[in-house]
Amino acid sequence: MKRIFAGIAQVIDTIMRWAGRILFLLLMVGLAFVLFSSPPERRVPDGAVMVWAPSGVVTEEVSLLPSANALLDSNVPVDSTMSALLRSLDRAAMDEQISGLVIDTRELLGITPAQLEDLGNALLSFKDSGKPMFAYGSYFSQAGYALASYADDITLHPMGNLMLTGFGGDQLYFRDLLDKLNVRVDIFRAGEYKSAGEPYVRMDMSEESRAASQALVDDLWASYRSRVANNRMITEQTVQGYADEFAVRLQNEANGNIARLAFEHDLVDNIAAADSFRRQVAAVSGVENGDFRQIHYGDYVAITDPLPSPVSDKVAVIVAEGTIMPGEDLTGIVGSESLIDRISRAQMDASVKAAVLRVNSPGGSALASEEIREALSLFRQSGKPLVVSMSGTAASGGYWIATAADQILASPSTVTGSIGVIGVVPSLEGAMDALGIGLDGVSTTELSRAGNVLRAPDENMQMIYQATIDDTYQRFMQLVANARGMTVAEVDAIGQGRVWSGEQALELGLVDALGNQQQAVDAAANLAGLSDYEAVYVQPEFGLLDQMLLQLLSTDGRMAFSPATTQWLGARFIERFASPIWSSLLPIAQRTGLTDQLNWLLSPVQGAGQMQRMAYCDSCMLFR
């Protein structure tokens, strides 16, 4: 009987292995077919309106993962890059073929307040061209409405939704749960406002954390409220009242009709269905293919991207986006080795005369941050100026690496600072005891059995952890003091782990000026004495498969295929290859698991990092 079951298991295992290989081969053949098919002709229709439609999460550079998800699920919005969004507005404002702009934020999933400000300033510049700007939505998120508010005319669907909720949110706290599980967590920190460990040892916010967080969201909300009020030519009190009294006003003034309430408080100009809006825009652009004459901003950037410039002098733009950790880049992680490689490539390139480090990071490993800072210092020592441009967040380790710069520019709503250090050390000793599991051993020194997650840190280890944290904080403060011309005491007074907005950071001397990425590029060029130069991105080094997927999926105009072409290619790929195979051969649980494995397979990570990512994917499959 055992032999029979063993034989059946072997046959099943062989079938699964070959099925996986055949499936992968079919996917590669399908991808090659799509890539080498002739895409439709791309052109800028004369008099067209540009549809400016940020989608997904707005990122600072092209991101690869989750590439397989995008291939296998056409409903996943592709992330947008700041550079493509900004380039499209700048060019369209000067282009006589573009007659106006339609702002479409329906697929916008994520954007920081600082990115909203930078894009808002670009929309204001477009408005100076005198071309009409329209916005339409069946639903406006708070961030989406901030962008739509720059339009001359906003239309909301009769059953549409527009709520302004302000900034804020809740944090989960786990102390009592961990106590019930007999899990101990020790927090070691330097900085009374360094609150990342509080959820493990408290059931609510500390007063220090509450004060700092409240001050930050108040500042960000004031900036948002002011922008919307100015754009709509209404008072800030109107915006505040709409948010504060939304429920009462919705019931008493509009009988539950949100579109009507938004209209009566001047947040929108029209209440109409999509067809009516299209006719309104068509009166400006004309009609083509049964709709108003239009071009997607990604198509427009792809078509209008200039040929390589003969200019020999370049300003390199290097992006640090995500949590800073040792090793190679992963999704949402700035790998120190990967970033150092890009910095070194810019340093060794004779045509690169200066660099801008675009930072969008909440921090991470102090060691990885220091390694990156050292590489940036070497870049400066080579005689090339370095300017840091802060995006949505440049805090903790994100500020650590910024100390290497000649100048630091931030947006008014950038979240920065957090000059402090924290360590979280969990212990399962109590849980082991409760389960009736003993732990014992031998040692030759006091530290031989230390550092085990199954054992609570003893007095020696607690001293080591806290001493290391204190030393790291002292190093952090000294770096900031040297970079900003302060004393360590002055840094400590504005440090302690507290976060600040960009405007507050300017007042405190943590940044040199308020400005966007382009202003940072101009500042770097000025420091290098350049008058004729080109800004170039130093991109991660993707493999062949990665580049093919990026070409297929990206909305960035620097890629080979534009969104309209991508949609056409993607539809053919899904229709002819992916969907029939996926839906006919695999149930949904196996489908999602295979997608995770494809993401791992197509990842640029190599070596040990690849095994680490496989472990992550296995977790995703088990707990989906």
Side-chain angles (χ1 to χ4, degrees):
M1 185 66 68
K2 289 183 179 180
R3 290 182 178 179
I4 293 175
F5 282 115
I8 293 173
Q10 186 174 6
V11 170
I12 293 174
D13 183 61
T14 301
I15 292 173
M16 291 300 294
R17 283 204 311 269
W18 278 102
R21 292 171 182 173
I22 293 171
L23 181 59
F24 179 75
L25 179 61
L26 288 173
L27 285 172
M28 293 302 99
V29 171
L31 183 60
F33 173 83
V34 169
L35 291 174
F36 289 103
S37 296
S38 298
E41 179 187 0
R42 297 182 295 173
R43 63 183 181 85
V44 179
D46 190 36
V49 166
M50 185 174 76
V51 177
W52 193 74
S55 62
V57 176
V58 176
T59 63
E60 296 295 330
E61 68 177 346
V62 177
S63 58
L64 174 65
L65 297 174
S67 52
N69 288 343
L71 272 177
L72 302 175
D73 186 353
S74 59
N75 293 321
V76 175
V78 178
D79 291 347
S80 305
T81 62
M82 282 289 289
S83 59
L85 291 167
L86 293 170
R87 291 202 311 275
S88 65
L89 291 172
D90 182 57
R91 294 176 191 170
M94 309 291 289
D95 192 340
E96 294 182 356
Q97 287 184 288
I98 299 297
S99 61
L101 185 75
V102 167
I103 301 173
D104 179 359
T105 62
R106 288 173 298 175
E107 293 192 343
L108 178 62
L109 301 181
I111 187 171
T112 68
Q115 290 170 329
L116 281 176
E117 286 189 335
D118 289 347
L119 293 176
N121 290 335
L123 288 167
L124 283 176
S125 296
F126 182 92
K127 181 174 285 191
D128 290 340
S129 69
K131 298 176 182 180
M133 297 169 60
F134 307 91
Y136 176 82
S138 54
Y139 161 77
F140 285 112
S141 67
Q142 184 165 271
Y145 180 71
L147 296 174
S149 69
Y150 290 90
D152 303 304
D153 188 279
I154 304 177
T155 300
L156 181 63
H157 189 277
M159 295 184 65
N161 195 339
L162 199 173
M163 288 179 62
L164 300 182
T165 59
F167 293 122
D170 294 310
Q171 169 73 57
L172 293 176
Y173 292 84
F174 310 105
R175 183 197 64 196
D176 289 357
L177 172 63
L178 295 174
D179 287 346
K180 291 178 181 178
L181 297 174
N182 294 296
V183 175
R184 168 177 165 174
V185 176
D186 288 274
I187 306 296
F188 303 91
R189 68 176 184 176
E192 62 179 317
Y193 294 99
K194 202 72 174 177
S195 58
E198 287 187 357
Y200 306 105
V201 295
R202 294 180 60 93
M203 292 299 291
D204 57 7
M205 298 179 75
S206 67
E207 290 306 313
E208 296 83 1
S209 175
R210 185 181 304 278
S213 298
Q214 190 65 54
L216 178 63
V217 296
D218 285 346
D219 193 62
L220 295 176
W221 173 242
S223 177
Y224 178 98
R225 186 180 58 211
S226 174
R227 287 258 176 163
V228 168
N230 289 336
N231 291 341
R232 296 297 302 164
M233 292 184 289
I234 56 180
T235 66
E236 291 190 38
Q237 288 75 17
T238 299
V239 179
Q240 186 72 38
Y242 186 85
D244 284 339
E245 302 172 18
F246 183 81
V248 173
R249 292 182 178 182
L250 180 62
Q251 180 175 345
N252 296 340
E253 299 178 13
N255 295 321
N257 188 323
I258 296 178
R260 175 184 161 191
L261 185 69
F263 177 78
E264 290 179 350
H265 288 274
D266 296 323
L267 295 183
V268 301
D269 300 286
N270 304 298
I271 300 175
D275 286 344
S276 176
F277 174 76
R278 292 191 184 100
R279 288 194 295 271
Q280 179 187 9
V281 179
V284 173
S285 66
V287 177
E288 185 175 282
N289 299 324
D291 203 347
F292 62 85
R293 186 174 291 113
Q294 61 187 272
I295 184 169
H296 187 277
Y297 85 94
D299 288 333
Y300 180 73
V301 169
I303 295 170
T304 59
D305 255 349
L307 296 173
S309 171
V311 175
S312 58
D313 294 336
K314 297 179 175 62
V315 175
V317 178
I318 306 170
V319 175
E321 185 168 41
T323 303
I324 300 172
M325 297 295 287
E328 302 287 338
D329 285 342
L330 290 171
T331 304
I333 290 178
V334 179
S336 58
E337 293 180 14
S338 299
L339 185 56
I340 289 170
D341 174 68
R342 280 184 273 171
I343 296 167
S344 299
R345 281 192 275 138
Q347 180 181 336
M348 299 299 293
D349 189 338
S351 66
V352 172
K353 307 301 182 184
V356 168
L357 181 69
R358 179 69 167 173
V359 181
N360 190 23
S361 170
S365 163
L367 173 59
S369 299
E370 174 58 14
E371 291 174 336
I372 293 168
R373 189 200 65 82
E374 290 169 352
L376 293 169
S377 296
L378 288 175
F379 180 91
R380 282 185 62 195
Q381 291 172 20
S382 70
K384 299 180 179 183
L386 172 69
V387 174
V388 162
S389 171
M390 293 181 171
S391 181
T393 305
S396 195
Y399 191 84
W400 185 303
I401 64 178
T403 60
D406 292 287
Q407 290 183 15
I408 303 175
L409 276 66
S411 293
S413 295
T414 294
V415 176
T416 188
S418 192
I419 301 168
V421 187
I422 190 169
V424 180
V425 181
S427 166
L428 300 179
E429 183 174 352
M432 299 280 286
D433 290 340
L435 292 171
I437 301 175
L439 184 70
D440 203 356
V442 297
S443 60
T444 56
T445 73
E446 291 293 329
L447 300 178
S448 295
R449 295 161 62 195
N452 189 338
V453 71
L454 301 180
R455 184 186 302 279
D458 60 15
E459 185 177 354
N460 282 333
M461 286 306 300
Q462 291 183 36
M463 290 172 59
I464 290 171
Y465 287 138
Q466 190 60 54
T468 301
I469 293 291
D470 291 340
D471 176 67
T472 305
Y473 183 47
Q474 290 297 319
R475 290 173 184 267
F476 199 170
M477 289 193 296
Q478 190 63 61
L479 285 174
V480 177
N482 294 342
R484 306 307 303 168
M486 300 177 177
T487 66
V488 171
E490 289 172 332
V491 175
D492 190 31
I494 59 176
Q496 295 290 324
R498 185 162 183 172
V499 293
W500 308 96
S501 69
E503 284 188 314
Q504 293 168 333
L506 178 63
E507 295 173 1
L508 296 171
L510 291 175
V511 303
D512 295 290
L514 298 179
N516 57 29
Q517 180 177 312
Q518 183 56 54
Q519 290 168 316
V521 170
D522 294 339
N526 184 57
L527 289 173
L530 304 179
S531 57
D532 189 17
Y533 61 91
E534 178 186 14
V536 294
Y537 278 80
V538 182
Q539 300 281 11
E541 292 186 324
F542 294 124
L544 176 60
L545 283 177
D546 304 332
Q547 294 179 39
M548 292 170 69
L549 287 169
L550 283 172
Q551 286 181 326
L552 181 64
L553 301 171
S554 179
T555 61
D556 190 327
R558 292 181 180 272
M559 296 296 102
F561 298 143
S562 62
T565 308
T566 297
Q567 184 179 13
W568 176 78
L569 292 173
R572 294 181 69 184
F573 179 84
I574 298 294
E575 177 186 356
R576 299 194 181 196
F577 296 98
S579 289
I581 297 171
W582 246 244
S583 58
S584 62
L585 297 183
L586 297 174
I588 187 167
Q590 294 183 9
R591 239 180 295 165
T592 53
L594 186 55
T595 297
D596 286 328
Q597 293 192 36
L598 276 172
N599 278 330
W600 165 74
L601 180 65
L602 300 174
S603 168
V605 184
Q606 301 296 329
Q610 211 167 27
M611 295 302 296
Q612 182 184 35
R613 180 154 190 83
M614 190 61 178
Y616 292 160
C617 286
D618 282 343
S619 298
C620 293
M621 292 159 61
L622 289 172
F623 299 106
R624 185 174 298 277

